[in-house]
Amino acid sequence: ATSGAADVISTASVYDLRNVGRGGFTLRKENVSVTAGYAYGTENDYRSHSFNVAARTETYEHNTIFELSYARNFDSVCDRVQASGALPVRFRALEGSEGCFTGTDPLRTTRAVQIDGYQGSWSQSWTPSFVTQLTYTGQIINGFQSNPYRSVILGQGVRAQEYVPENRARHSLTARANYYLKPLKAALRFGVRGYWDTWSIAAGNVEAEAEKYLGEVFRVGLRARGYKQSGALFWSDDYTGGDPPLGPKGQYFTGDRELSPFWSLTLGARVMLQMVRPEEKA
């Protein structure tokens, strides 16, 4: 930052305990199943009501599987009460979770978040050794999506709670393939995923994994993953110009590194030892 100091800060260190209660049921008839469920989650600064429904069918001698699912969240986020008439560049971040959801603290309020999630997948067994899966995932979010604790330095020592749009649509398309090399006792797995949303973030990743048996009890595996994404339209690493137009690059501003441009490369290896009882070998 041009001010010589970091332009993203957190104003609170939060200790939290999440509690979740859930229930659901599944109905099956021959090759078709329908599932429904509900969950309620609580944190010191967050409340969540969610339900989901899903349908699954298997056909062509169980070699083809189609799945559709829908989920809906009705969530509430604790936030700080802002001064009457204040502009977003003067919003103050939440100091802590004390007083949230009590209804007795005049400096605490709640913001609503509604999330609709959709998913469809097609899994196909082409041969006993080759399986593929294609999955589309969509999500529409409406409501308060800022981190209430995160502040951004806008210049001249002014710290404002980050401010992001209340609407966001997200999409991803994933393709996976698994291939088993029986003569080598080895498995190969590949995956490709593309992502885009209405905040102008576009991302993609490629994954590859190989696993091989060494004898009857040892397995070794290698894994590689590459990921790259663009930044949100309104993201910047320097908001120190003061009020608009020199400060925030447009109406919104954020210090969330997950909305910034970045790339990553991950490499991994593992060794597994599977103990077999003498009676299981018989």
Side-chain angles (χ1 to χ4, degrees), residues 22 37-41 48-52 71-75:
R22 64 179 72 247
Y38 169 81
Y40 176 63
S48 176
H49 295 270
S50 64
F51 72 85
N52 66 279
R72 173 75 170 182
N73 278 54
F74 300 90
D75 298 351

Side-chain angles (χ1 to χ4, degrees), residues 124-168:
Q124 183 67 47
S125 296
W126 301 97
T127 70
S129 302
F130 183 53
V131 180
T132 62
Q133 184 181 63
L134 185 65
T135 303
Y136 165 78
T137 302
Q139 192 178 70
I140 298 175
I141 311 174
N142 299 283
F144 184 77
Q145 299 181 56
S146 301
N147 182 332
Y149 301 102
R150 183 181 291 122
S151 292
V152 177
I153 298 178
L154 301 181
Q156 302 174 353
V158 175
R159 298 175 177 179
Q161 183 188 70
E162 72 169 13
Y163 185 59
V164 303
E166 291 192 350
N167 300 302
R168 187 182 189 185

Side-chain angles (χ1 to χ4, degrees), residues 11-28:
T11 58
S13 178
V14 180
Y15 173 80
D16 213 337
L17 176 64
R18 179 170 176 79
N19 299 281
V20 179
R22 64 179 72 247
F25 65 88
T26 299
L27 301 176
R28 291 188 178 90

Side-chain angles (χ1 to χ4, degrees), residues 67-69 118-122 134-137:
E67 292 186 77
L68 292 173
S69 64
Y118 313 85
Q119 182 168 292
S121 68
W122 165 38
L134 185 65
T135 303
Y136 165 78
T137 302

Side-chain angles (χ1 to χ4, degrees), residues 32-282:
V32 177
S33 64
V34 177
T35 300
Y38 169 81
Y40 176 63
T42 65
E43 299 176 37
N44 292 339
D45 52 11
Y46 204 93
R47 298 286 187 272
S48 176
H49 295 270
S50 64
F51 72 85
N52 66 279
V53 292
R56 169 190 171 108
T57 182
E58 301 179 15
T59 186
Y60 299 113
E61 297 182 351
H62 304 283
N63 290 321
T64 303
I65 301 174
F66 293 104
E67 292 186 77
L68 292 173
S69 64
Y70 169 75
R72 173 75 170 182
N73 278 54
F74 300 90
D75 298 351
S76 299
V77 185
C78 181
D79 191 22
R80 191 187 193 282
V81 173
Q82 307 298 338
S84 178
L87 296 175
V89 292
R90 292 292 185 266
F91 284 1
R92 296 180 58 183
L94 187 64
E95 302 88 350
S97 59
E98 297 80 6
C100 290
F101 299 106
T102 63
T104 60
D105 193 327
L107 295 180
R108 298 292 179 263
T109 187
T110 59
R111 313 289 187 191
V113 184
Q114 299 180 15
I115 306 173
D116 294 277
Y118 313 85
Q119 182 168 292
S121 68
W122 165 38
S123 302
Q124 183 67 47
S125 296
W126 301 97
T127 70
S129 302
F130 183 53
V131 180
T132 62
Q133 184 181 63
L134 185 65
T135 303
Y136 165 78
T137 302
Q139 192 178 70
I140 298 175
I141 311 174
N142 299 283
F144 184 77
Q145 299 181 56
S146 301
N147 182 332
Y149 301 102
R150 183 181 291 122
S151 292
V152 177
I153 298 178
L154 301 181
Q156 302 174 353
V158 175
R159 298 175 177 179
Q161 183 188 70
E162 72 169 13
Y163 185 59
V164 303
E166 291 192 350
N167 300 302
R168 187 182 189 185
R170 311 171 71 183
H171 311 272
S172 71
L173 188 63
T174 304
R176 295 187 178 92
N178 295 345
Y179 186 61
Y180 182 65
L181 301 171
K182 189 174 182 180
L184 300 178
K185 291 187 177 181
L188 302 177
R189 304 180 184 92
F190 301 95
V192 178
R193 178 178 180 268
Y195 169 91
W196 65 100
D197 66 22
T198 54
W199 289 3
S200 293
I201 295 179
N205 66 271
V206 178
E207 299 181 20
E209 184 176 358
E211 189 173 57
K212 178 175 172 51
Y213 281 88
L214 299 176
E216 296 184 358
V217 297
F218 276 103
R219 281 189 294 168
V220 296
L222 298 174
R223 182 175 182 268
R225 179 180 185 270
Y227 177 85
K228 185 177 182 180
Q229 77 169 41
S230 62
L233 182 65
F234 46 86
W235 183 88
S236 174
D237 61 355
D238 182 9
Y239 290 113
T240 57
D243 292 340
L246 298 178
K249 310 318 190 248
Q251 181 180 0
Y252 304 105
F253 46 94
T254 179
D256 189 352
R257 64 181 182 181
E258 293 186 4
L259 300 181
S260 67
F262 72 89
W263 64 271
S264 67
L265 178 63
T266 304
L267 301 174
R270 69 171 179 263
V271 177
M272 299 181 64
L273 172 63
Q274 181 178 352
M275 304 301 294
V276 181
R277 297 177 181 176
E279 59 269 22
E280 292 179 349
K281 295 181 180 182

